[in-house]
Amino acid sequence: MPSPFQRIGLVGKFGDPGIAPTLNQLYRYLLRRGFQVAVESQSADLIENAEVTGVYIERLPEHCDLMIALGGDGTFLAAARAVADFDVPLLGVNLGRLGFLADISPEQLSGSLEQILAGNYITEQRHLLNAAIIRDGTLIHQQTAVNEVVVHRWVTPSMIEIVTSIDGIYLNTQRSDGLIVATPTGSTAYSLSAGGPILHPALHALVLVPLNPHTLSNRPLVIDDNVTIEVRFSRAKQINALVTCDHLEIPDVRINDKIVIKKAEKPIKILHPADHDFFHILRSKLNWSGYPA
């Protein structure tokens, strides 16, 4: 039975020559199997004994019908943003530490990949966020996030005071170090370290998590994901703030700016081995007990 994929794109962890053995193994395996292989520009420099023309990651989805990310969740996030406007599924090989998204280990690679390339896999859709900075009614910047959009205090010891509305309805005003708006995918990332709940990936939900709030009753809040979240700043005093989307910075956010956050129009597709189990991932990555005592 022919594979549902014919053109494979490879992207490795940027600036990490340690991925070279796995990258070369995977590249040659795919060529032997008769696949067309395109490699991201920096990763192409690590391919041994072959002349490989690299492709910028933003253009890589145009050259493949499956993208494989080798690295940690950071590499996976970069690949996910690249495929966001394309109908190209994404597969993650974990060469990092936690690896909630990139869930295939190098030891499992050949067996899992054999099954996936034969069409035996689970497809999961993950919704993304779009963050827009509005200044005087004009869009000045927008960015996509897989995990979270975060409004931070920046280069100041003082808390910031932010006002949050949902679908035009006032939610609250809080003094804090910032606010995380996370997808279910991002609920195991920064949101988790800030005390937010873990959301199952199938949920159509978002979580709002305050960062070190001045009022301890200000708790994480889970809401439907078909909403528009608007964050603005109290004008009581000048602020220094920063907005990040999966750690990509949008600097120079001003006191009169509005941050508008909503679900992106298109989800991304993530492929998993057929035996993928989200709860097993949680037990493994968070060192939970595998079985009741």
Side-chain angles (χ1 to χ4, degrees), residues 226-257:
N226 286 309
V227 299
T228 298
I229 300 165
E230 182 180 300
V231 179
R232 57 186 177 84
F233 302 97
S234 168
R235 301 190 185 191
K237 62 177 182 178
Q238 187 59 41
I239 55 96
N240 287 297
L242 177 73
V243 175
T244 59
C245 298
D246 297 339
H247 305 298
L248 295 178
E249 296 183 357
I250 304 175
D252 189 32
V253 178
R254 301 178 186 175
I255 194 168
N256 293 323
D257 291 349

Side-chain angles (χ1 to χ4, degrees), residues 152-164:
H152 311 256
R153 68 179 175 89
W154 186 42
V155 294
T156 175
S158 301
M159 290 182 169
I160 56 176
E161 188 166 305
I162 56 179
V163 181
T164 304

Side-chain angles (χ1 to χ4, degrees), residues 48-66:
E48 301 170 353
N49 302 320
E51 294 209 6
V52 180
T53 301
V55 180
Y56 289 117
I57 188 170
E58 296 83 5
R59 303 295 302 273
L60 193 58
E62 300 173 17
H63 299 268
C64 62
D65 43 38
L66 171 65

Side-chain angles (χ1 to χ4, degrees), residues 166-180:
I166 298 173
D167 281 344
I169 300 172
Y170 170 70
L171 173 65
N172 65 2
T173 300
Q174 62 170 281
R175 293 185 66 236
S176 65
D177 286 343
L179 177 69
I180 302 171

Side-chain angles (χ1 to χ4, degrees), residues 87 126 130 245 276:
D87 192 28
R126 300 285 183 100
N130 180 267
C245 298
H276 172 76

